[in-house]
């Protein structure tokens, strides 16, 4: 059976390392590749997948385009407006495992419950972060973003979840009294965010995992905070995909070991 991660660019993806390690651990003769696909190619690619395909993982820029090929949506995919997993069967079902990945990464890092959360960015991952914050108990979220359209989408989700949301520019960021901060922006964007900060509190989850540590993560530690690396989110969301694709419980220890070995090199 076959699966793949699709996106553009995709050569950097560590998803094949994680999934293949799971197949090897459970003696499954499955394959998992990385395929560079842009939004205008997604429909034809999915249409060409035969009965030997279990499904696909999706990264940028396909997490919204996937709504055009999914026959059915799970509640998390629907509320976040984000699909990162398509599972094939009688119908193509769109899932969001990013929320699970974010929550499990925080739990593994010692977060059992939060009240306040700051989210840096307003794109697809930020929408998943909003739901993750609510699942962790968050009631008050501060969104550090500028894109008015994306901010409006996040505000709508917050309203559905019963979250009190405020929006500000990153220049006005205050990280001294917050339980959890999630950086959802691409590598380099948030590097200088703490340049004038000397004290922080709570946990920072930086979804960027390469290069690691990021400048933001390093500075966060210097200012007295604790950090959750983005590769933990990657691991846990992949484990959830593995369950969906194979119908088996993911061998998390082996998948983690393969990921860490690759990151070391």
């Amino acid at each position: 059976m076959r699966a793949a991660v699709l996106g553009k660019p995709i050569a950097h993806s560590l998803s094949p390392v994680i999934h293949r390690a799971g197949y090897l651990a459970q003696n499954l003769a499955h394959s998992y590749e990385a395929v560079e696909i842009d939004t205008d190619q997604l429909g034809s690619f999915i249409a060409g997948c035969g009965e030997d395909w279990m499904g696909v993982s999706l990264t940028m820029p396909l997490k919204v385009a996937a709504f055009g090929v999914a026959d059915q949506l799970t509640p998390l995919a629907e509320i976040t407006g984000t699909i990162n997993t398509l599972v094939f069967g009688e119908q193509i079902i769109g899932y969001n495992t990013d929320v699970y990945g974010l929550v499990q990464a925080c739990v593994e890092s010692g977060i059992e419950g939060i009240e306040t959360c700051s989210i840096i960015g307003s794109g697809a991952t930020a929408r998943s972060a909003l739901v993750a914050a609510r699942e962790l108990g968050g009631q008050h979220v501060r969104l550090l973003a500028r894109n008015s359209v994306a901010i409006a989408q996040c505000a709508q989700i917050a309203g559905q979840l019963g979250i009190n949301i405020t929006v500000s520019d990153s220049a006005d960021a205050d990280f001294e009294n917050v339980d959890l901060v999630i950086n959802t922006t691409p590598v380099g964007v948030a590097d200088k965010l703490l340049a004038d900060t000397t004290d922080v509190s709570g946990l920072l989850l930086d979804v960027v995992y390469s290069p690691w540590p990021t400048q933001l993560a390093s500075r966060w530690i210097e200012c007295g905070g604790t950090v959750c690396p983005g590769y933990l989110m990657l691991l846990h969301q992949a484990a959830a995909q593995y369950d969906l694709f194979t119908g088996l419980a993911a061998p998390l220890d082996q998948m983690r070991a393969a990921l860490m070995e690759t990151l070391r090199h």
Side-chain angles (χ1 to χ4, degrees), residues 39 42 61-69:
T39 53
L42 180 62
L62 305 178
K63 292 185 176 183
V64 175
F67 282 84
V69 298

Side-chain angles (χ1 to χ4, degrees), residues 57-244:
S57 311
L58 303 170
T59 186
M60 299 305 291
L62 305 178
K63 292 185 176 183
V64 175
F67 282 84
V69 298
D71 300 315
Q72 183 179 337
L73 303 175
T74 60
L76 278 180
E78 193 163 11
I79 193 171
T80 60
T82 304
I83 296 172
N84 78 322
T85 312
L86 292 171
V87 177
F88 302 156
E90 291 185 5
Q91 291 188 312
I92 299 175
I93 304 177
Y95 291 83
N96 178 324
T97 69
D98 284 339
V99 173
Y100 176 83
L102 288 162
V103 170
Q104 292 305 308
C106 290
V107 169
E108 184 173 326
S109 299
I111 290 288
E112 296 182 359
I114 65 170
E115 183 176 343
T116 59
C117 177
S118 289
I119 297 173
I120 305 168
S122 56
T125 305
R127 297 195 297 272
S128 294
L130 263 174
V131 179
R134 187 65 190 92
E135 290 195 3
L136 290 164
Q139 298 288 333
H140 305 280
V141 171
R142 189 177 192 183
L143 195 67
L144 303 176
R146 296 180 179 179
N147 185 313
S148 59
V149 174
I151 287 170
Q153 289 180 292
C154 289
Q156 183 178 14
I157 294 169
Q160 292 177 265
L161 297 173
I163 292 175
N164 176 30
I165 188 171
T166 58
V167 180
S168 65
D169 190 276
S170 58
D172 301 319
D174 176 8
F175 299 113
E176 291 187 23
N177 298 292
V178 63
D179 299 321
L180 174 65
V181 175
I182 304 176
N183 174 39
T184 70
T185 61
V187 60
V189 173
D191 281 352
K192 306 301 182 183
L193 192 58
L194 300 178
D196 299 322
T197 301
T198 58
D199 188 30
V200 300
S201 63
L203 177 74
L204 167 70
L205 193 168
D206 193 339
V207 300
V208 177
Y209 59 84
S210 181
W212 186 261
T214 61
Q215 288 188 40
L216 177 65
S218 296
R219 181 63 182 154
W220 189 268
I221 293 171
E222 290 175 2
C223 293
T226 56
V227 169
C228 171
Y231 57 74
L232 287 183
M233 174 200 171
L234 178 69
L235 172 67
H236 286 291
Q237 66 83 24
Q241 291 177 335
Y242 186 98
D243 295 352
L244 293 169

